[in-house]
Amino acid sequence: MPKKNSDAGVFLWMTYQTMQNMGLDAASIFASVNLPDQPPVKNIRRNNSTQNRFWNAAEKISLDLDIGLHVGVQMPVFRGLIIEYLFLSSATFGDGLKRTLHYQEILTDVFDLSLSIDGDTAILSGFEHPVRHYLECAIGILLSFFQYITDDDFKPIQISLTHSQGASKQAYENAWGCPVILNQSKGAIFFPSKLLQKASLSAGPELLKIHENLAEQQLNILEKHQLVYEIESLFSNGLLESRQFNQNLIAKYLNRSPRTLRTDLQAIQTSYEQILNQYRERLARKLLANTQETIDQIVYLTGFSEHSAFTRAFKRWTGETPSSYRQRKQR
């Protein structure tokens, strides 16, 4: 089964908080990807395929054509993650950056970042994504983190982007403090290579070893997140309608024993029941808000055997009846 790209849940949590602090209608924006009006759970990986709908809604609702750029600038520095500790315990900024690139999937597996040096210039490449707002938000987050980790010594020389249309030159200059060139063959951040030699005052080989072991553990756990996508794919291919979706059957489809499946899901702090309920909720919200399917048909598509069981579950998820939710979303 093809691997789905995903991002660490902390970034969606940060986006929600930042949009609220900016006075944006976060509830409506998050509803565009069938998420409730509440801070997302930090430890749940998020499917990257929803970014186009999410940022289109953000642009439309905010009336801001450069919404990703502006949200990225307002984002707080992400701290308390293993990537920060790898930087701090490495001997230099360059060492920390190379280790971070090795473990970059912990944050996101969307980009394939690489570092090269051309004389006095270091080039961090691989910033390509079809959704401009997502990309510019991500670059803003990374620049803020680099400035924090280097005590504000990190100053980009230039940034290249692959999309042909973007913000104004002045808007980019104000946000990122450097010239931005559009319509390039690769997306990259250029900065002085001498910064790679900047020493870390918190460096320590024993501490670094501990942090690398933790990073390896997180990579191993990350592989288990693919299980969630595989289970949801089974749901979307007709299992819910068939009513044949008990955990033992799902484990058989995935070539696992039920016990192994439970253990693997516990390792990423979830369970089969949670995955099933979250998928049903997202599907029900989507069908009620965006289609004219009858309630009885939605009961069938979400795998419930009775109308009353669906109604009770939906009220538990949203605090509303299915009919009230549809009326509010489609009026």
Side-chain angles (χ1 to χ4, degrees):
M1 183 175 295
K3 182 178 180 181
K4 291 188 179 181
N5 293 125
S6 63
D7 305 297
V10 67
F11 292 121
L12 191 64
W13 180 85
M14 290 168 57
T15 302
Y16 181 89
Q17 302 287 355
T18 300
M19 286 182 166
Q20 283 206 321
N21 292 338
M22 293 172 67
L24 301 177
D25 185 359
S28 296
I29 295 171
F30 274 68
S32 69
V33 289
N34 303 307
L35 287 173
D37 181 22
Q38 60 188 44
V41 181
K42 292 183 185 180
N43 64 348
I44 296 179
R45 297 281 297 189
R46 299 294 175 175
N47 188 342
N48 192 262
S49 66
T50 61
Q51 293 297 335
N52 188 47
R53 281 189 291 128
F54 179 85
W55 288 106
N56 279 344
E59 178 183 317
K60 181 179 179 180
I61 292 169
S62 68
L63 303 177
D64 183 353
L65 297 179
D66 303 323
I67 183 64
L69 181 69
H70 295 149
V71 170
V73 169
Q74 295 295 324
M75 284 276 207
V77 175
F78 65 87
R79 300 186 60 179
L81 302 179
I82 191 61
I83 296 301
E84 176 190 5
Y85 302 144
L86 285 172
F87 266 103
L88 293 175
S89 56
S90 295
T92 65
F93 175 74
D95 290 340
L97 181 55
K98 290 172 185 175
R99 287 188 175 89
T100 295
L101 295 180
H102 179 71
Y103 296 111
Q104 61 185 281
E105 288 190 16
I106 292 174
L107 298 179
T108 180
D109 54 16
V110 173
F111 304 118
D112 184 15
L113 303 182
S114 61
L115 178 68
S116 60
I117 299 174
D118 183 7
D120 294 334
T121 303
I123 307 166
L124 186 59
S125 306
F127 293 99
E128 290 94 35
H129 195 278
V131 181
R132 175 198 152 206
H133 294 317
Y134 169 83
L135 176 63
E136 293 182 353
C137 183
I139 290 175
I141 292 171
L142 195 60
L143 291 176
S144 296
F145 177 73
F146 284 168
Q147 288 162 0
Y148 154 71
I149 215 74
T150 61
D151 297 320
D152 290 326
D153 285 343
F154 186 90
K155 304 284 191 246
I157 299 170
Q158 175 183 297
I159 293 176
S160 64
L161 300 174
T162 57
H163 44 260
S164 58
Q165 295 183 327
S168 67
K169 290 183 178 180
Q170 190 59 54
Y172 282 128
E173 183 81 34
N174 291 342
W176 295 341
C178 69
V180 172
I181 303 178
L182 302 179
N183 204 26
Q184 298 300 293
S185 60
K186 64 179 182 180
I189 298 173
F190 300 77
F191 61 95
S193 58
K194 64 181 181 181
L195 190 60
L196 296 172
Q197 304 306 316
K198 181 179 175 64
S200 171
L201 299 179
S202 305
E206 291 302 317
L207 197 56
L208 177 59
K209 186 175 181 180
I210 293 173
H211 292 156
E212 286 192 303
N213 286 337
L214 289 173
E216 287 291 343
Q217 292 174 24
Q218 289 194 21
L219 274 186
N220 291 334
I221 289 173
L222 183 57
E223 293 178 4
K224 293 181 174 29
H225 279 276
Q226 180 66 12
L227 267 179
V228 177
Y229 305 134
E230 293 176 1
I231 292 171
E232 291 182 344
S233 180
L234 291 173
F235 292 158
S236 67
N237 287 329
L239 276 191
L240 289 186
E241 296 98 306
S242 73
R243 308 294 199 278
Q244 302 296 315
F245 52 84
N246 67 70
Q247 185 166 339
N248 290 347
L249 185 60
I250 293 293
K252 183 178 179 180
Y253 279 122
L254 298 174
N255 296 315
R256 284 172 164 80
S257 70
R259 182 177 181 180
T260 299
L261 179 59
R262 283 193 297 272
T263 300
D264 287 344
L265 292 177
Q266 286 171 358
I268 54 175
Q269 300 180 321
T270 190
S271 66
Y272 174 72
E273 290 74 18
Q274 283 182 283
I275 295 168
L276 174 61
N277 285 329
Q278 289 166 359
Y279 182 87
R280 281 172 147 177
E281 179 184 354
R282 291 197 307 272
L283 180 58
R285 285 175 178 270
K286 179 181 178 180
L287 293 172
L288 288 167
N290 302 317
T291 76
Q292 296 304 316
E293 296 280 7
T294 65
I295 300 295
D296 284 341
Q297 183 66 6
I298 294 173
V299 170
Y300 168 73
L301 292 172
T302 51
F304 285 89
S305 58
E306 297 178 356
H307 190 293
S308 59
F310 171 72
T311 299
R312 285 195 301 273
F314 195 83
K315 286 187 71 175
R316 186 172 66 251
W317 296 331
T318 67
E320 298 178 88
T321 65
S323 298
S324 297
Y325 182 86
R326 167 170 273 174
Q327 290 172 2
R328 180 168 62 82
K329 287 295 183 179
Q330 295 195 9
R331 66 188 175 199

